[in-house]
């Protein structure tokens, strides 16, 4: 056997010259020294002890202490004075949207709606429901534009330049009524298609033959003793309105020379739903129960007969056609023998 050969390891019997000699780094006896293990690289390609060396300036992370990571600079917050104009702008936009589509504040300018509303009260008017096709109903308190001449001769309230400027700003965002707008507030007594009248004295207001019990009338007033009227047939799409302070209200009774004293539904701004100011007078403005009495709705009183007639006509025609169909074969059978 050759020198240096090992049995059972599959190595070649002969080695290259000098492979195991001292010059090649082998042992003096010619044997091969063990090869030292090569350190494996980390997944990132860096030996395990690569981080143990000195860290260069600027490569460390002051917060985490890890090499190679840069410290993140904290984000600077805007100052309050920079954000204030944005907040004011958002508030104004929201106020304009609310004023245009939802609710608007109005000030009561006179005593015509006492005791329900006092002069100087602030009411919130619902402007949302008319966008969905809802129309004013009997008993509701509504704000409407001057139909034409109702406010003629009314003295305008004089204010100073500062107060006038403040009112213009607040009216622009819907917190106060505009001094230029001519609006009134009254209670709806009758709607399109109704017949309304009042004979004077202590006689009640009558709508479609039903007398109204009006507990909201100003104490000591009568329903219409100062201005009897009617009967008046309210045109479709219009309203008959009256103030709760009957002897101090220039309402529909006093303007019958123009459209029978009625107000167009299109002139209605919205329904007053709540007294918002002053706080000690906070109250809702519901529809009085007298307007819910049976038979007051003229349209409902006519509807059942009309619907019955509309349903009976097709039924009669169908029955008559059926009888004609049944008689046709019998007549044909009688005539057949004679023709034969």
């Amino acid at each position: 056997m050759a020198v240096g050969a090992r049995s059972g390891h599959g190595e070649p019997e002969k080695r290259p010259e000098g492979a195991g000699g001292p010059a090649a780094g082998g042992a003096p006896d010619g044997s091969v020294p063990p090869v030292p293990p090569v350190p494996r690289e980390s997944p990132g390609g860096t030996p395990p002890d690569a981080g143990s060396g000195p860290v260069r300036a600027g490569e460390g992370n002051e917060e985490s202490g890890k090499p190679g990571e840069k410290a993140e600079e904290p984000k600077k917050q805007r100052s309050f004075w920079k954000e204030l104009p944005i907040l004011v702008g958002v508030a104004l936009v929201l106020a304009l949207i609310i004023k245009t589509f939802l609710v608007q504040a109005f000030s009561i300018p006179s005593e015509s709606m006492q005791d329900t509303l006092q002069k100087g009260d602030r009411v919130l008017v619902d402007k949302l429901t008319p966008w969905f096709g809802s129309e004013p109903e009997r008993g509701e308190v509504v704000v409407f534009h001057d139909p034409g001449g109702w406010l003629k001769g009314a003295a305008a309230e004089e204010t100073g330049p500062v107060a006038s400027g403040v009112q213009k700003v607040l009216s622009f965002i819907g917190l106060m009524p505009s001094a230029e707008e001519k609006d009134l507030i009254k209670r709806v007594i009758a709607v399109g298609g109704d017949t309304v009248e009042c004979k004077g004295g202590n006689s009640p207001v009558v709508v479609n033959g039903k007398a109204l019990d009006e507990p909201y009338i100003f104490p000591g007033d009568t329903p219409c003793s100062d201005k009897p009227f009617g009967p008046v047939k309210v045109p479709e799409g219009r309203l008959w309105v009256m103030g709760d302070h009957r002897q101090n209200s220039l309402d529909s009774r006093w303007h019958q020379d123009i459209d029978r004293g009625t107000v167009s539904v299109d002139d209605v701004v919205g329904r007053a739903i709540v007294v918002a100011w002053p706080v000690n007078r906070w109250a809702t403005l519901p529809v009085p129960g007298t307007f819910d009495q049976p038979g007051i709705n003229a349209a409902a009183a006519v509807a059942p007969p009309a619907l019955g007639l509309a349903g009976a006509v097709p039924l009669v025609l169908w029955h008559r056609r059926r009888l004609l169909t049944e008689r046709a074969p019998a007549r044909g059978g009688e005539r057949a023998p004679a023709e034969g």
Side-chain angles (χ1 to χ4, degrees):
M1 181 178 294
V3 177
R6 298 180 182 179
S7 61
H9 290 278
E11 294 181 4
E13 295 182 358
K14 294 182 179 181
R15 295 178 180 275
E17 188 174 351
D29 58 355
S31 62
V32 180
V35 180
V38 179
R40 297 182 179 180
E41 295 183 353
S42 63
T46 305
D49 59 347
S52 61
V55 180
R56 295 180 181 179
E59 293 184 353
N61 188 331
E62 295 179 359
E63 295 182 359
S64 62
K66 295 181 180 179
E69 297 183 2
K70 295 183 179 180
E72 295 183 0
E73 296 182 359
K75 295 182 179 180
K76 295 182 179 180
Q77 295 183 351
R78 292 180 179 177
S79 66
F80 171 77
W81 298 110
K82 290 183 178 180
E83 291 185 351
L84 182 59
I86 299 176
L87 296 175
V88 172
V90 172
L92 288 175
V93 171
L94 292 176
L96 289 174
I97 293 175
I98 293 173
K99 169 192 172 183
T100 305
F101 301 103
L102 301 180
V103 295
Q104 184 175 355
F106 283 85
S107 176
I108 306 304
S110 68
E111 296 86 4
S112 66
M113 283 296 295
Q114 286 181 331
D115 266 348
T116 304
L117 300 173
Q118 302 292 339
K119 183 177 180 180
D121 284 353
R122 298 290 194 274
V123 296
L124 296 182
V125 175
D126 172 22
K127 301 177 68 175
L128 177 63
T129 51
W131 285 92
F132 295 94
S134 175
E135 294 188 356
E137 298 181 358
R138 303 178 199 89
E140 294 181 349
V141 177
V142 297
V143 173
F144 56 93
H145 300 310
D146 186 352
W150 283 36
L151 292 175
K152 185 178 180 180
E157 185 176 353
E158 296 183 0
T159 57
V162 176
S164 178
V166 172
Q167 183 176 7
K168 287 182 180 180
V169 173
L170 295 179
S171 65
F172 178 72
I173 61 178
L175 297 179
M176 283 190 68
S178 173
E180 286 77 19
E181 293 181 357
K182 304 301 182 181
D183 298 324
L184 301 95
I185 184 167
K186 306 290 180 186
R187 189 182 297 275
V188 178
I189 300 299
V191 298
D194 290 346
T195 299
V196 58
E197 64 177 324
C198 184
K199 297 180 179 179
N202 289 323
S203 300
V205 175
V206 178
V207 178
N208 298 327
K210 298 294 180 178
L212 299 181
D213 179 17
E214 302 181 282
Y216 45 80
I217 291 180
F218 184 77
D221 280 6
T222 59
C224 66
S225 61
D226 57 329
K227 186 66 174 178
F229 64 93
V232 177
K233 179 77 171 181
V234 181
E236 292 294 336
R238 304 192 71 86
L239 309 169
W240 179 273
V241 297
M242 301 175 71
D244 290 355
H245 196 344
R246 294 292 163 81
Q247 272 69 68
N248 191 18
S249 176
L250 298 178
D251 45 39
S252 291
R253 299 171 294 163
W254 300 89
H255 302 283
Q256 297 185 54
D257 55 331
I258 304 175
D259 295 318
R260 302 182 186 179
T262 59
V263 177
S264 173
V265 171
D266 296 334
D267 287 332
V268 175
V269 177
R271 175 189 173 185
I273 54 177
V274 64
V275 180
W277 187 264
V279 177
N280 61 345
R281 283 192 44 76
W282 189 94
T284 57
L285 299 171
V287 175
T290 186
F291 293 95
D292 295 329
Q293 57 181 305
I296 196 173
N297 193 335
V302 176
L307 293 175
L309 180 61
V313 170
L315 184 62
V316 171
L317 293 176
W318 173 81
H319 183 66
R320 183 176 181 182
R321 185 176 182 180
R322 182 179 178 183
L323 291 177
L324 293 175
T325 303
E326 292 177 352
R327 291 176 182 177
R331 291 179 180 178
E334 293 174 358
R335 289 195 298 267
E339 293 176 357

